[in-house]
Amino acid sequence: MAKQKDDKPKHINIQNRRARHEYSFLAQYDAGLMLQGTEIKSIRDGSVQLQDGFCSFHPDGSLWVHNVTIAKYTEGTYNNHEPTRPRKLLLNKRELRQLADKATEQGLTIIPVRMFVSERGFAKLEIALAKGKKLYDKREDLKAKDQKREMDRARDY
């Protein structure tokens, strides 16, 4: 008897939760990724780590993501990929120009926020133009989050 494949693909949504705590987002973009070999299979398994990732521009004007770990595919052979290699991001020229202009400002960086697989089966990376939060900003965010949680609990009773 042959195994039956699932008709519905597994929903992949890998988030960088630490980024929301450390940065305030000014603009967000969805970018495609140039992948090699078994990387898409590892992404579909959910074996991705975005916490240390950052983006930078190369001299030719292209945007690359660094330090994003896509674990080696367990079923891969000698053709398996390098886990932490830099990967090129695919954006249109207008978006690249906007990011390049804004990223040169003091205190702004481009970070990966979320990785997902589109309906067509392509791996996408949501990136954000971000500014680092100060310690008091983080405290205010946590305080507001706690107050919202308390209000929701009081309303439920």
Side-chain angles (χ1 to χ4, degrees), residues 10-34:
K10 191 171 126 181
H11 184 69
I12 305 299
N13 188 14
I14 302 159
Q15 295 198 354
N16 184 356
R17 289 191 285 269
R18 188 171 139 217
R20 296 204 185 278
H21 180 70
E22 299 285 330
Y23 299 95
S24 57
F25 301 149
L26 305 177
Q28 292 185 334
Y29 299 90
D30 286 340
L33 280 164
M34 282 186 83

PDB file of all heavy atoms in Angstrom, residues 10-34:
ATOM      1  N   LYS A  10       1.500  21.999   4.814  1.00  0.00           N
ATOM      2  CA  LYS A  10       1.695  22.464   6.184  1.00  0.00           C
ATOM      3  C   LYS A  10       2.012  23.951   6.166  1.00  0.00           C
ATOM      4  O   LYS A  10       2.822  24.407   5.380  1.00  0.00           O
ATOM      5  CB  LYS A  10       2.847  21.674   6.803  1.00  0.00           C
ATOM      6  CG  LYS A  10       3.001  21.857   8.271  1.00  0.00           C
ATOM      7  CD  LYS A  10       4.012  20.856   8.781  1.00  0.00           C
ATOM      8  CE  LYS A  10       5.075  21.592   9.543  1.00  0.00           C
ATOM      9  NZ  LYS A  10       6.110  20.738  10.048  1.00  0.00           N
ATOM     10  N   HIS A  11       1.367  24.716   7.027  1.00  0.00           N
ATOM     11  CA  HIS A  11       1.559  26.163   7.076  1.00  0.00           C
ATOM     12  C   HIS A  11       2.854  26.472   7.817  1.00  0.00           C
ATOM     13  O   HIS A  11       3.013  26.114   8.975  1.00  0.00           O
ATOM     14  CB  HIS A  11       0.363  26.816   7.768  1.00  0.00           C
ATOM     15  CG  HIS A  11       0.418  28.296   7.776  1.00  0.00           C
ATOM     16  ND1 HIS A  11       0.280  29.039   6.640  1.00  0.00           N
ATOM     17  CD2 HIS A  11       0.613  29.174   8.775  1.00  0.00           C
ATOM     18  CE1 HIS A  11       0.388  30.321   6.943  1.00  0.00           C
ATOM     19  NE2 HIS A  11       0.585  30.422   8.244  1.00  0.00           N
ATOM     20  N   ILE A  12       3.790  27.146   7.149  1.00  0.00           N
ATOM     21  CA  ILE A  12       5.080  27.489   7.728  1.00  0.00           C
ATOM     22  C   ILE A  12       5.075  28.965   8.082  1.00  0.00           C
ATOM     23  O   ILE A  12       4.816  29.816   7.236  1.00  0.00           O
ATOM     24  CB  ILE A  12       6.231  27.204   6.736  1.00  0.00           C
ATOM     25  CG1 ILE A  12       6.195  25.756   6.263  1.00  0.00           C
ATOM     26  CG2 ILE A  12       7.569  27.550   7.339  1.00  0.00           C
ATOM     27  CD1 ILE A  12       6.349  24.741   7.352  1.00  0.00           C
ATOM     28  N   ASN A  13       5.354  29.269   9.336  1.00  0.00           N
ATOM     29  CA  ASN A  13       5.402  30.653   9.806  1.00  0.00           C
ATOM     30  C   ASN A  13       6.421  30.725  10.938  1.00  0.00           C
ATOM     31  O   ASN A  13       6.103  30.492  12.092  1.00  0.00           O
ATOM     32  CB  ASN A  13       4.019  31.103  10.285  1.00  0.00           C
ATOM     33  CG  ASN A  13       3.983  32.566  10.601  1.00  0.00           C
ATOM     34  OD1 ASN A  13       4.884  33.311  10.240  1.00  0.00           O
ATOM     35  ND2 ASN A  13       2.956  32.991  11.309  1.00  0.00           N
ATOM     36  N   ILE A  14       7.677  31.030  10.594  1.00  0.00           N
ATOM     37  CA  ILE A  14       8.762  31.082  11.565  1.00  0.00           C
ATOM     38  C   ILE A  14       9.009  32.552  11.891  1.00  0.00           C
ATOM     39  O   ILE A  14       9.277  33.339  10.994  1.00  0.00           O
ATOM     40  CB  ILE A  14      10.022  30.422  10.995  1.00  0.00           C
ATOM     41  CG1 ILE A  14       9.704  28.984  10.627  1.00  0.00           C
ATOM     42  CG2 ILE A  14      11.165  30.503  11.978  1.00  0.00           C
ATOM     43  CD1 ILE A  14      10.635  28.381   9.634  1.00  0.00           C
ATOM     44  N   GLN A  15       8.912  32.923  13.185  1.00  0.00           N
ATOM     45  CA  GLN A  15       9.012  34.326  13.564  1.00  0.00           C
ATOM     46  C   GLN A  15      10.238  34.600  14.408  1.00  0.00           C
ATOM     47  O   GLN A  15      10.725  33.728  15.123  1.00  0.00           O
ATOM     48  CB  GLN A  15       7.764  34.753  14.332  1.00  0.00           C
ATOM     49  CG  GLN A  15       6.534  34.695  13.478  1.00  0.00           C
ATOM     50  CD  GLN A  15       5.403  35.492  14.062  1.00  0.00           C
ATOM     51  OE1 GLN A  15       5.495  35.999  15.166  1.00  0.00           O
ATOM     52  NE2 GLN A  15       4.333  35.608  13.325  1.00  0.00           N
ATOM     53  N   ASN A  16      10.711  35.821  14.318  1.00  0.00           N
ATOM     54  CA  ASN A  16      11.806  36.320  15.138  1.00  0.00           C
ATOM     55  C   ASN A  16      11.173  37.163  16.237  1.00  0.00           C
ATOM     56  O   ASN A  16      11.024  38.373  16.106  1.00  0.00           O
ATOM     57  CB  ASN A  16      12.765  37.143  14.276  1.00  0.00           C
ATOM     58  CG  ASN A  16      13.973  37.611  15.012  1.00  0.00           C
ATOM     59  OD1 ASN A  16      14.114  37.403  16.207  1.00  0.00           O
ATOM     60  ND2 ASN A  16      14.871  38.261  14.293  1.00  0.00           N
ATOM     61  N   ARG A  17      10.772  36.525  17.334  1.00  0.00           N
ATOM     62  CA  ARG A  17      10.058  37.226  18.406  1.00  0.00           C
ATOM     63  C   ARG A  17      10.965  38.218  19.129  1.00  0.00           C
ATOM     64  O   ARG A  17      10.499  39.231  19.644  1.00  0.00           O
ATOM     65  CB  ARG A  17       9.467  36.226  19.389  1.00  0.00           C
ATOM     66  CG  ARG A  17       8.293  35.466  18.808  1.00  0.00           C
ATOM     67  CD  ARG A  17       7.574  34.688  19.874  1.00  0.00           C
ATOM     68  NE  ARG A  17       8.292  33.502  20.285  1.00  0.00           N
ATOM     69  CZ  ARG A  17       8.129  32.305  19.744  1.00  0.00           C
ATOM     70  NH1 ARG A  17       7.278  32.138  18.776  1.00  0.00           N
ATOM     71  NH2 ARG A  17       8.829  31.282  20.194  1.00  0.00           N
ATOM     72  N   ARG A  18      12.242  37.916  19.192  1.00  0.00           N
ATOM     73  CA  ARG A  18      13.177  38.811  19.874  1.00  0.00           C
ATOM     74  C   ARG A  18      13.267  40.163  19.169  1.00  0.00           C
ATOM     75  O   ARG A  18      13.469  41.201  19.803  1.00  0.00           O
ATOM     76  CB  ARG A  18      14.547  38.145  19.931  1.00  0.00           C
ATOM     77  CG  ARG A  18      15.532  38.889  20.771  1.00  0.00           C
ATOM     78  CD  ARG A  18      16.795  38.066  20.956  1.00  0.00           C
ATOM     79  NE  ARG A  18      17.926  38.961  20.831  1.00  0.00           N
ATOM     80  CZ  ARG A  18      19.063  38.675  20.269  1.00  0.00           C
ATOM     81  NH1 ARG A  18      19.247  37.491  19.761  1.00  0.00           N
ATOM     82  NH2 ARG A  18      20.020  39.547  20.199  1.00  0.00           N
ATOM     83  N   ALA A  19      13.089  40.164  17.844  1.00  0.00           N
ATOM     84  CA  ALA A  19      13.185  41.405  17.078  1.00  0.00           C
ATOM     85  C   ALA A  19      12.099  42.392  17.495  1.00  0.00           C
ATOM     86  O   ALA A  19      12.348  43.598  17.567  1.00  0.00           O
ATOM     87  CB  ALA A  19      13.085  41.114  15.593  1.00  0.00           C
ATOM     88  N   ARG A  20      10.899  41.915  17.774  1.00  0.00           N
ATOM     89  CA  ARG A  20       9.813  42.811  18.171  1.00  0.00           C
ATOM     90  C   ARG A  20      10.102  43.465  19.522  1.00  0.00           C
ATOM     91  O   ARG A  20       9.624  44.551  19.799  1.00  0.00           O
ATOM     92  CB  ARG A  20       8.486  42.060  18.225  1.00  0.00           C
ATOM     93  CG  ARG A  20       8.073  41.540  16.869  1.00  0.00           C
ATOM     94  CD  ARG A  20       6.582  41.329  16.783  1.00  0.00           C
ATOM     95  NE  ARG A  20       6.221  40.711  15.523  1.00  0.00           N
ATOM     96  CZ  ARG A  20       6.061  41.360  14.382  1.00  0.00           C
ATOM     97  NH1 ARG A  20       6.230  42.652  14.348  1.00  0.00           N
ATOM     98  NH2 ARG A  20       5.737  40.733  13.280  1.00  0.00           N
ATOM     99  N   HIS A  21      10.863  42.781  20.351  1.00  0.00           N
ATOM    100  CA  HIS A  21      11.214  43.327  21.665  1.00  0.00           C
ATOM    101  C   HIS A  21      12.378  44.317  21.556  1.00  0.00           C
ATOM    102  O   HIS A  21      12.397  45.328  22.247  1.00  0.00           O
ATOM    103  CB  HIS A  21      11.574  42.185  22.614  1.00  0.00           C
ATOM    104  CG  HIS A  21      11.954  42.635  23.983  1.00  0.00           C
ATOM    105  ND1 HIS A  21      11.042  43.164  24.868  1.00  0.00           N
ATOM    106  CD2 HIS A  21      13.137  42.653  24.624  1.00  0.00           C
ATOM    107  CE1 HIS A  21      11.653  43.491  25.985  1.00  0.00           C
ATOM    108  NE2 HIS A  21      12.932  43.186  25.860  1.00  0.00           N
ATOM    109  N   GLU A  22      13.338  44.029  20.696  1.00  0.00           N
ATOM    110  CA  GLU A  22      14.558  44.826  20.600  1.00  0.00           C
ATOM    111  C   GLU A  22      14.442  46.046  19.677  1.00  0.00           C
ATOM    112  O   GLU A  22      15.200  46.998  19.826  1.00  0.00           O
ATOM    113  CB  GLU A  22      15.717  43.961  20.086  1.00  0.00           C
ATOM    114  CG  GLU A  22      16.067  42.791  20.983  1.00  0.00           C
ATOM    115  CD  GLU A  22      16.818  43.198  22.219  1.00  0.00           C
ATOM    116  OE1 GLU A  22      17.554  44.206  22.152  1.00  0.00           O
ATOM    117  OE2 GLU A  22      16.665  42.522  23.254  1.00  0.00           O
ATOM    118  N   TYR A  23      13.517  46.011  18.698  1.00  0.00           N
ATOM    119  CA  TYR A  23      13.451  47.047  17.673  1.00  0.00           C
ATOM    120  C   TYR A  23      12.029  47.564  17.502  1.00  0.00           C
ATOM    121  O   TYR A  23      11.065  46.847  17.749  1.00  0.00           O
ATOM    122  CB  TYR A  23      13.912  46.496  16.316  1.00  0.00           C
ATOM    123  CG  TYR A  23      15.330  46.007  16.282  1.00  0.00           C
ATOM    124  CD1 TYR A  23      15.621  44.660  16.476  1.00  0.00           C
ATOM    125  CD2 TYR A  23      16.389  46.872  16.055  1.00  0.00           C
ATOM    126  CE1 TYR A  23      16.925  44.195  16.442  1.00  0.00           C
ATOM    127  CE2 TYR A  23      17.693  46.420  16.017  1.00  0.00           C
ATOM    128  CZ  TYR A  23      17.952  45.085  16.211  1.00  0.00           C
ATOM    129  OH  TYR A  23      19.252  44.632  16.171  1.00  0.00           O
ATOM    130  N   SER A  24      11.924  48.791  17.018  1.00  0.00           N
ATOM    131  CA  SER A  24      10.637  49.308  16.548  1.00  0.00           C
ATOM    132  C   SER A  24      10.731  49.361  15.023  1.00  0.00           C
ATOM    133  O   SER A  24      11.715  49.845  14.472  1.00  0.00           O
ATOM    134  CB  SER A  24      10.339  50.680  17.139  1.00  0.00           C
ATOM    135  OG  SER A  24      11.374  51.583  16.829  1.00  0.00           O
ATOM    136  N   PHE A  25       9.713  48.870  14.355  1.00  0.00           N
ATOM    137  CA  PHE A  25       9.734  48.728  12.900  1.00  0.00           C
ATOM    138  C   PHE A  25       9.193  49.980  12.232  1.00  0.00           C
ATOM    139  O   PHE A  25       8.133  50.489  12.591  1.00  0.00           O
ATOM    140  CB  PHE A  25       8.908  47.525  12.458  1.00  0.00           C
ATOM    141  CG  PHE A  25       9.380  46.219  13.052  1.00  0.00           C
ATOM    142  CD1 PHE A  25       8.489  45.206  13.315  1.00  0.00           C
ATOM    143  CD2 PHE A  25      10.715  46.005  13.340  1.00  0.00           C
ATOM    144  CE1 PHE A  25       8.907  44.010  13.847  1.00  0.00           C
ATOM    145  CE2 PHE A  25      11.153  44.811  13.875  1.00  0.00           C
ATOM    146  CZ  PHE A  25      10.244  43.807  14.130  1.00  0.00           C
ATOM    147  N   LEU A  26       9.924  50.475  11.248  1.00  0.00           N
ATOM    148  CA  LEU A  26       9.505  51.642  10.488  1.00  0.00           C
ATOM    149  C   LEU A  26       8.820  51.251   9.189  1.00  0.00           C
ATOM    150  O   LEU A  26       7.875  51.903   8.761  1.00  0.00           O
ATOM    151  CB  LEU A  26      10.713  52.534  10.193  1.00  0.00           C
ATOM    152  CG  LEU A  26      11.521  52.973  11.419  1.00  0.00           C
ATOM    153  CD1 LEU A  26      12.730  53.792  10.990  1.00  0.00           C
ATOM    154  CD2 LEU A  26      10.656  53.758  12.372  1.00  0.00           C
ATOM    155  N   ALA A  27       9.311  50.210   8.519  1.00  0.00           N
ATOM    156  CA  ALA A  27       8.725  49.724   7.269  1.00  0.00           C
ATOM    157  C   ALA A  27       8.998  48.233   7.151  1.00  0.00           C
ATOM    158  O   ALA A  27      10.029  47.748   7.623  1.00  0.00           O
ATOM    159  CB  ALA A  27       9.325  50.459   6.081  1.00  0.00           C
ATOM    160  N   GLN A  28       8.069  47.510   6.523  1.00  0.00           N
ATOM    161  CA  GLN A  28       8.234  46.069   6.337  1.00  0.00           C
ATOM    162  C   GLN A  28       8.086  45.715   4.869  1.00  0.00           C
ATOM    163  O   GLN A  28       7.278  46.314   4.152  1.00  0.00           O
ATOM    164  CB  GLN A  28       7.227  45.293   7.170  1.00  0.00           C
ATOM    165  CG  GLN A  28       7.481  45.406   8.658  1.00  0.00           C
ATOM    166  CD  GLN A  28       6.542  44.543   9.466  1.00  0.00           C
ATOM    167  OE1 GLN A  28       5.438  44.226   9.046  1.00  0.00           O
ATOM    168  NE2 GLN A  28       6.982  44.162  10.655  1.00  0.00           N
ATOM    169  N   TYR A  29       8.859  44.722   4.433  1.00  0.00           N
ATOM    170  CA  TYR A  29       8.853  44.264   3.043  1.00  0.00           C
ATOM    171  C   TYR A  29       8.866  42.742   3.022  1.00  0.00           C
ATOM    172  O   TYR A  29       9.470  42.109   3.892  1.00  0.00           O
ATOM    173  CB  TYR A  29      10.107  44.765   2.309  1.00  0.00           C
ATOM    174  CG  TYR A  29      10.250  46.262   2.231  1.00  0.00           C
ATOM    175  CD1 TYR A  29      10.923  46.969   3.221  1.00  0.00           C
ATOM    176  CD2 TYR A  29       9.713  46.978   1.169  1.00  0.00           C
ATOM    177  CE1 TYR A  29      11.068  48.342   3.154  1.00  0.00           C
ATOM    178  CE2 TYR A  29       9.851  48.353   1.097  1.00  0.00           C
ATOM    179  CZ  TYR A  29      10.529  49.033   2.088  1.00  0.00           C
ATOM    180  OH  TYR A  29      10.657  50.391   2.013  1.00  0.00           O
ATOM    181  N   ASP A  30       8.233  42.154   2.008  1.00  0.00           N
ATOM    182  CA  ASP A  30       8.325  40.718   1.754  1.00  0.00           C
ATOM    183  C   ASP A  30       9.328  40.508   0.639  1.00  0.00           C
ATOM    184  O   ASP A  30       9.191  41.081  -0.443  1.00  0.00           O
ATOM    185  CB  ASP A  30       6.966  40.142   1.333  1.00  0.00           C
ATOM    186  CG  ASP A  30       6.005  40.044   2.502  1.00  0.00           C
ATOM    187  OD1 ASP A  30       6.470  40.048   3.652  1.00  0.00           O
ATOM    188  OD2 ASP A  30       4.790  39.953   2.261  1.00  0.00           O
ATOM    189  N   ALA A  31      10.325  39.670   0.900  1.00  0.00           N
ATOM    190  CA  ALA A  31      11.375  39.423  -0.074  1.00  0.00           C
ATOM    191  C   ALA A  31      11.458  37.934  -0.359  1.00  0.00           C
ATOM    192  O   ALA A  31      11.287  37.110   0.541  1.00  0.00           O
ATOM    193  CB  ALA A  31      12.720  39.920   0.458  1.00  0.00           C
ATOM    194  N   GLY A  32      11.747  37.608  -1.607  1.00  0.00           N
ATOM    195  CA  GLY A  32      12.016  36.227  -1.964  1.00  0.00           C
ATOM    196  C   GLY A  32      13.444  35.874  -1.564  1.00  0.00           C
ATOM    197  O   GLY A  32      14.264  36.744  -1.288  1.00  0.00           O
ATOM    198  N   LEU A  33      13.737  34.588  -1.530  1.00  0.00           N
ATOM    199  CA  LEU A  33      15.069  34.114  -1.166  1.00  0.00           C
ATOM    200  C   LEU A  33      15.636  33.267  -2.300  1.00  0.00           C
ATOM    201  O   LEU A  33      14.920  32.461  -2.876  1.00  0.00           O
ATOM    202  CB  LEU A  33      14.996  33.216   0.080  1.00  0.00           C
ATOM    203  CG  LEU A  33      14.889  33.886   1.414  1.00  0.00           C
ATOM    204  CD1 LEU A  33      14.440  32.878   2.454  1.00  0.00           C
ATOM    205  CD2 LEU A  33      16.212  34.455   1.816  1.00  0.00           C
ATOM    206  N   MET A  34      16.917  33.436  -2.583  1.00  0.00           N
ATOM    207  CA  MET A  34      17.591  32.556  -3.525  1.00  0.00           C
ATOM    208  C   MET A  34      18.150  31.389  -2.722  1.00  0.00           C
ATOM    209  O   MET A  34      19.059  31.564  -1.912  1.00  0.00           O
ATOM    210  CB  MET A  34      18.720  33.277  -4.257  1.00  0.00           C
ATOM    211  CG  MET A  34      18.238  34.174  -5.350  1.00  0.00           C
ATOM    212  SD  MET A  34      19.574  34.880  -6.303  1.00  0.00           S
ATOM    213  CE  MET A  34      19.898  33.549  -7.428  1.00  0.00           C
TER     214      MET A  34
END
